[in-house]
Amino acid sequence: RRPSLRSLRQQEAAARGSLFLAQRERLPVPAVSGGLQNTNDVAGTSTFVGVSVPLPLFDRGQGAIATANAQINLATLAVTAEEATVRAEIVRSANLLTKRRDALAFLEKSVVERSASLRQMAEAAYREGSSDILDLLDVLRKLKDVQVAHVLQLESTKLAEEALISAAALDESPTPQP
């Protein structure tokens, strides 16, 4: 579905078509000619018919065929290079997504799940008088920082998912092949 790959494959198909055309143009094409010729001196009209066939003694179309083969090789290499680039981008995006999901799971498991109990402990310590208001505010500020870090990690995970979807061209609508 990736437009760059689609374009390169169409160029490769066009190069294969040019090879077929070069092979066909290599063959001699007979030409038939005919007509009338008027003469003024004798006051007569003569008719002529002719057939000519070019003889490929020196030019057998090797240049056009070699050019077409080179274009096919170039197009094939371009398709192969683009496919390798796409595969590498997909693998890189998939690895990044895996790492971001692992980091998100670790953050949720080790920090976010414990934040509610930490808040309750800080509030209970403040109510019992074992800590002052500044300690409670500090804990609440840290819990907000943890929530912000969690949201940022969620965002980076979603961006990694979007990068993978884009790299695999799954966001492109399939176009019908003619």
Side-chain angles (χ1 to χ4, degrees):
R1 293 185 186 176
R2 200 170 172 117
S4 60
L5 272 174
R6 228 180 302 138
S7 171
L8 288 173
R9 286 188 180 127
Q10 288 174 351
Q11 289 175 4
E12 184 181 19
R16 290 189 192 285
S18 68
L19 174 65
F20 178 74
L21 179 65
Q23 289 172 341
R24 293 291 292 186
E25 287 179 348
R26 181 183 82 162
L27 301 174
V29 177
V32 177
S33 59
L36 297 174
Q37 185 177 11
N38 291 328
T39 58
N40 292 333
D41 292 338
V42 187
T45 304
S46 59
T47 307
F48 67 91
V49 176
V51 176
S52 64
V53 177
L55 298 175
L57 296 177
F58 300 109
D59 182 21
R60 293 189 206 117
Q62 296 101 335
I65 291 174
T67 301
N69 280 327
Q71 288 176 346
I72 289 172
N73 290 339
L74 179 67
T76 302
L77 290 174
V79 168
T80 303
E82 183 66 19
E83 285 174 347
T85 302
V86 167
R87 278 191 204 101
E89 188 177 342
I90 289 172
V91 168
R92 183 193 58 78
S93 297
N95 289 340
L96 179 65
L97 177 60
T98 301
K99 289 178 182 178
R100 295 277 168 94
R101 282 183 176 168
D102 291 345
L104 178 64
F106 178 75
L107 181 67
E108 287 176 344
K109 182 179 178 183
S110 64
V111 179
V112 175
E113 288 179 358
R114 298 178 185 176
S115 62
S117 62
L118 290 173
R119 181 183 180 129
Q120 290 173 352
M121 289 172 36
E123 288 174 353
Y126 174 71
R127 274 190 237 113
E128 293 173 1
S130 60
S131 67
D132 59 356
I133 187 73
L134 293 176
D135 291 334
L136 177 63
L137 291 176
D138 189 41
V139 168
L140 293 177
R141 182 171 46 90
K142 293 292 181 184
L143 290 175
K144 288 294 178 191
D145 290 344
V146 166
Q147 289 174 343
V148 168
H150 182 245
V151 169
L152 290 175
Q153 190 62 41
L154 277 171
E155 178 188 23
S156 67
T157 303
K158 289 297 181 187
L159 289 175
E161 286 177 4
E162 285 298 319
L164 179 60
I165 288 170
S166 176
L170 296 175
D171 55 350
E172 301 279 333
S173 61
T175 57
Q177 295 297 328

